[in-house]
Amino acid sequence: MGEYVEANGTTIWTESRGEGPAVLLIAGLGDPAEAWQAQLDGLSDRYRVIAFDNRGAGRTPLPDGPMSVATMADDAAELLRGFRVDSAHVAGFSGGSAIAQELALRHPAAVRSLVLMGTWARADAYFTAMTRSWHWLVTEAPDERAMLEAFFLWIYSPRAHADGTVQRLIEESLAFPYPQSAAAFRRQLESFQQHDALDRLPGITAPTLVLAGEQDIATPPRLGRLVAGAIPGSCFEVLAGEAHQPLQESSDGFNARVHAFWHEVDSGTPPP
């Protein structure tokens, strides 16, 4: 069951399941906590898994005033304090990976380890052009279905389009009772566009795993490689055949990989 938690001046919707080492999951652009459903279901037998709706997504309101990745990182840190979690394994996906970077930089004691999926640290010309197109996509598409059909071309693999996964996800999104407004989508997107942590990443001290989908066209492996190269001691892996969203498309494999990483961090030894 979910609940609202007061954190950093706003009311954040959260889902918490299971017992064990704490895991904080940070979703990306437009995604509510349900984007992590396969991890909430698949990892809560071993971990205390916490997911939440970022500002302006799902059930968490979009506050007035400026919005930034740093502010959302502070939201996450205060959310952990609200759950009386001193330190958590943190996994961030896409825009959530930008938030996770800032969380590790601004609140290092709160981050036991870091998993960055579909990540970047500084926008290049391609990334900038792509995200600019998303600004008008969300307002100019004929309807919400058309917007999702176009947007998901950037997010999911050809395999997921062919096997019906994307169509199922579109139907689930259309049925979700807390749709994100176009204004909230654009304000979140603006925050992520401005994210620039590349020169500060050497300050991250948490054990870090950077994952990139081989077929990811939104945040290609070259961007993740730059992130991993800037974080001391980090591990970089390219997931063969995957696009931007393996945590949904190939959840069993994704869950197994992050569990192996967290087990190694907690025990100092590879998993059995």
Side-chain angles (χ1 to χ4, degrees):
M1 293 292 294
E3 61 180 309
Y4 285 104
V5 176
E6 295 295 324
N8 200 27
T10 192
T11 304
I12 297 177
W13 175 263
T14 66
E15 295 271 355
S16 179
R17 296 200 195 163
E19 297 180 357
V23 168
L24 181 69
L25 305 174
I26 308 180
L29 174 64
D31 287 334
E34 283 82 356
W36 295 102
Q37 195 64 53
Q39 288 67 51
L40 287 162
D41 293 339
L43 294 168
S44 57
D45 60 335
R46 291 158 282 184
Y47 299 97
R48 182 185 182 187
V49 184
I50 302 167
F52 63 101
D53 295 354
N54 283 313
R55 290 173 178 242
R59 289 136 292 201
T60 298
L62 178 69
D64 294 331
M67 188 162 129
S68 68
V69 172
T71 299
M72 290 187 276
D74 292 345
D75 291 347
E78 194 161 327
L79 185 65
L80 286 175
R81 287 192 287 271
F83 278 103
R84 298 182 179 179
V85 173
D86 294 327
S87 182
H89 296 295
V90 176
F93 159 69
S94 192
S97 76
I99 298 169
Q101 291 172 31
E102 288 290 351
L103 178 62
L105 289 164
R106 295 169 68 85
H107 305 276
V111 180
R112 173 78 175 112
S113 73
L114 198 57
V115 175
L116 303 173
M117 176 71 238
T119 195
W120 80 100
R122 177 179 293 158
D124 62 9
Y126 182 95
F127 184 93
T128 299
M130 173 188 72
T131 52
R132 280 178 180 165
S133 75
W134 295 351
H135 274 276
W136 59 258
L137 174 63
V138 73
T139 56
E140 300 304 319
D143 52 39
E144 187 177 0
R145 181 182 296 276
M147 183 272 175
L148 292 171
E149 288 174 347
F151 183 56
F152 284 178
L153 289 171
W154 297 93
I155 307 303
Y156 296 99
S157 69
R159 177 187 69 241
H161 285 268
D163 67 12
T165 298
V166 167
Q167 188 58 43
R168 174 179 59 80
L169 291 168
I170 288 173
E171 297 302 330
E172 290 176 1
S173 296
L174 293 173
F176 186 62
Y178 307 97
Q180 186 180 45
S181 68
F185 179 94
R186 295 181 75 168
R187 285 187 60 194
Q188 273 197 342
L189 179 56
E190 287 166 1
S191 298
F192 295 140
Q193 286 175 308
Q194 294 165 14
H195 173 62
D196 186 349
L198 188 60
D199 294 337
R200 294 179 288 126
L201 291 183
I204 292 179
T205 57
T208 300
L209 172 64
V210 180
L211 300 173
E214 178 188 30
Q215 298 184 18
D216 188 350
I217 58 174
T219 52
R222 68 174 185 277
L223 299 180
R225 189 173 286 107
L226 286 173
V227 171
I231 299 175
S234 67
C235 178
F236 176 66
E237 296 179 13
V238 175
L239 305 180
E242 300 299 337
H244 193 55
Q245 261 280 26
L247 57 101
Q248 291 179 340
E249 285 195 50
S250 304
S251 58
D252 289 346
F254 178 85
N255 290 355
R257 182 62 191 97
V258 296
H259 167 57
F261 175 65
W262 295 333
H263 178 92
E264 186 168 1
V265 170
D266 286 337
S267 67
T269 59

